[in-house]
Amino acid sequence: MDDLFLAPETWSVAGRTFTSRLIVGTGKYKDYAQNAAAARASGAEIVTVAVRRVNLTDPNQPMLMDYVRQDEFTYLPNTAGCFTGEEAVRTLRLAREAGGWNLVKLEVLSDPKTLYPDMEETLRSLKLLVKDGFDVMVYCSDDPVYARKLEEAGAAAIMPLAAPIGSGLGIQNPVTLRIIVENAKVPVLVDAGVGTASEAAEAMELGCDAVLMNTAIAEAKDPIRMARAMKYAVMAGRDAYLAGRMPRKLYADPSSPLAGLI
Amino acid sequence: MAWVSAKNGAKMVKILLNGEEREVTASNLMALIGDLGLDGRKVAVEKNLEIVPRSTYPATQINDGDRLEIVHFVGGG
């Protein structure tokens, strides 16, 4: 942004301010070293992480914390694998103790085939977490009614899917995403479903505050190059949104003057 | 019930650790984490469904029948 002589633009969630509008996951990589390289190339300041039992049979296996370091990235612990509010609270209390902060990502899934969020349980879980002092960024369906309910229940950010987790299908429902953006007073992030850079740009052009992705980078043939592509796509999309696109017209409008023709 | 191991005289307790039954001799959580070869700064512990703050590991006793979960951060989306 500096080369455009613009002040760096920031966004805030739960009182924390960030410059990068890309949040990246840390799953599905070949190894933690590639994961760390991709995270760096993406310019992300926040990475999502999961909480799991330590491996007691091999305590010397590589650890995420040694590669994707907490002095470089803000960890956003998730509740992947939780199906109830109580499980989510239990998992994130452990995460808070392991990481020492309360900014978390809530995801309560239902059907294993679609990994679609269980919104009724998600809303109930959110209320439990807010009561427990967490700042909760909520993975949700692209339903404007539930988005409003989540915000009313104290969500720190609303994170509707573009398409099912890991599907790479791109933005399936730009209309509802835009409605959610227009009505929310908290940050809105597209979380899940982005497959390539143009789709990340599209999410930002819809007015989203940021994009969260994992598989689009991790499962690219060259994850590090894709991470970089996503970084620029998010920046480009944000700039295009702020610049305001030209109106769509049915007919042509010449770019060269008609007057003075020889 | 706790008993004394004939081998080294250390008190042996039976606990449920990450869902598995284990017999351990460590008397406190700090010692247990060390015995398991783990780095206490990189894990979080729940004992009988209660979070154990890291600062209290040395003072946290391991008793027979305790249910412990030791977790850490792994890659995820």
Side-chain angles (χ1 to χ4, degrees), chain A residues 7-133:
Chain A
E9 220 226 330
T10 60
W11 68 288
S12 297
V13 56
R16 299 161 177 86
T17 300
F18 299 96
T19 305
S20 171
R21 291 174 180 270
L22 179 57
I23 298 177
V24 295
T26 55
K28 300 181 180 171
Y29 286 92
K30 190 182 77 188
D31 51 42
Y32 283 145
Q34 186 193 56
N35 189 340
R40 277 185 209 114
S42 77
E45 293 162 293
I46 306 175
V47 296
T48 60
V49 296
V51 177
R52 291 293 180 271
R53 286 171 167 168
V54 294
N55 186 336
L56 293 171
T57 50
D58 181 13
N60 294 318
Q61 67 172 351
M63 288 179 89
L64 176 74
M65 281 175 137
D66 295 330
Y67 292 85
V68 183
R69 297 175 57 91
Q70 285 174 288
D71 52 14
E72 245 184 297
F73 301 98
T74 295
Y75 275 17
L76 183 67
N78 71 23
T79 59
C82 295
F83 290 89
T84 67
E86 285 72 17
E87 287 168 8
V89 169
R90 195 177 164 205
T91 299
L92 291 178
R93 278 182 177 162
L94 279 163
R96 182 162 56 186
E97 184 56 31
W101 53 78
N102 57 1
L103 183 65
V104 295
K105 169 181 165 176
L106 174 65
E107 59 176 293
V108 182
L109 307 181
S110 52
D111 170 42
K113 221 169 180 177
T114 63
L115 296 181
Y116 220 68
D118 177 340
M119 289 313 302
E120 190 180 353
E121 193 61 24
T122 297
L123 181 58
R124 197 178 74 82
S125 307
L126 170 66
K127 290 174 182 170
L128 292 174
L129 288 165
V130 167
K131 220 184 200 174
D132 212 50

